[in-house]
Amino acid sequence: NFYQPLIHLLAASCGAVRAAAIEAAGKLRNPELLEPVLGHLNDPKLASVCMAAISSFGEEAEQALFDLIQDPGAPIDSRVRALKIKGRIGNKGSVVALTLLLEAGSLRLRSAAAHSLSAITKRWPGVDVNRAQVSKAIASEVKRWYANTLLEFDLKLQSDSVLLQDSIRHRRR
């Protein structure tokens, strides 16, 4: 129970105290601290220290990260950061899940999954990747961007059509 004081410090009102507690949790790598640290992944001020701490857990963090990524109710920033961590610590077993996420509904999730998949395949050059599924995801992305670009072109939007242009660009996501 030596980690118990950190649980309270992770909930402190002072950001510097929370950051120090997150950093300490990463050094201790006690599994009981992983979930509370994951809870801070959405905070932009704590994101980098949080990502470093979670990365230090290594394979112990894999399942918790996967659960967070798959949770549609979790904040998108947390899910994207969890994918980035997967890119740092993920192993050959992460490739299948990341490949499936190339078809996610969110552009940010698809992009983060692609970056993580790329990082893992660089680290594990011989890893088996479903190239047909990756090609399908790339083709789908190209079609999505092409359709939206054509829509903008067909509408002959003027420079004062900012809201409509923004709406069309948002559809790409």
Side-chain angles (χ1 to χ4, degrees):
N1 291 359
F2 62 92
Y3 63 86
Q4 287 295 332
L6 276 181
I7 300 278
H8 299 292
L9 293 174
L10 287 167
S13 59
C14 176
V17 171
R18 286 193 314 271
I22 290 168
E23 189 174 345
K27 290 178 181 174
L28 290 175
R29 293 191 305 264
N30 184 298
E32 298 296 322
L33 296 170
L34 183 57
E35 286 298 324
V37 172
L38 279 168
H40 292 287
L41 205 50
N42 194 43
D43 185 336
K45 293 177 183 173
L46 299 173
S48 63
V49 69
C50 200
M51 290 173 69
I54 296 167
S55 295
S56 72
F57 280 84
E59 287 187 21
E60 290 181 48
E62 287 275 346
Q63 188 59 49
L65 289 169
F66 181 74
D67 293 344
L68 176 60
I69 292 163
Q70 294 298 324
D71 181 2
I76 191 73
D77 288 335
S78 293
R79 295 171 72 195
V80 167
R81 289 179 183 126
L83 277 164
K84 289 179 181 180
I85 297 168
K86 283 285 251 184
R88 292 180 186 175
I89 67 171
N91 55 30
K92 295 175 184 179
S94 301
V95 170
V96 173
L98 290 172
T99 303
L100 292 173
L101 283 167
L102 294 175
E103 295 286 341
S106 163
L107 172 63
R108 292 184 61 205
L109 287 178
R110 292 191 309 270
S111 177
H115 281 96
S116 294
L117 188 59
S118 175
I120 291 171
T121 55
K122 284 179 185 170
R123 206 169 45 254
W124 301 90
V127 71
D128 187 32
V129 177
N130 184 337
R131 300 206 185 280
Q133 197 167 9
V134 171
S135 294
K136 178 183 171 196
I138 291 170
S140 176
E141 198 68 35
V142 169
K143 285 179 188 174
R144 190 176 359 259
W145 282 86
Y146 183 71
N148 286 322
T149 302
L150 281 179
L151 181 60
E152 279 187 61
F153 181 76
D154 286 347
L155 291 174
K156 297 180 175 110
L157 297 177
Q158 305 299 316
S159 59
D160 61 347
S161 306
V162 176
L163 289 176
L164 184 55
Q165 286 176 336
D166 187 51
S167 176
I168 291 169
R169 288 184 182 125
H170 185 71
R171 286 182 59 190
R172 293 178 182 161
R173 298 185 176 116

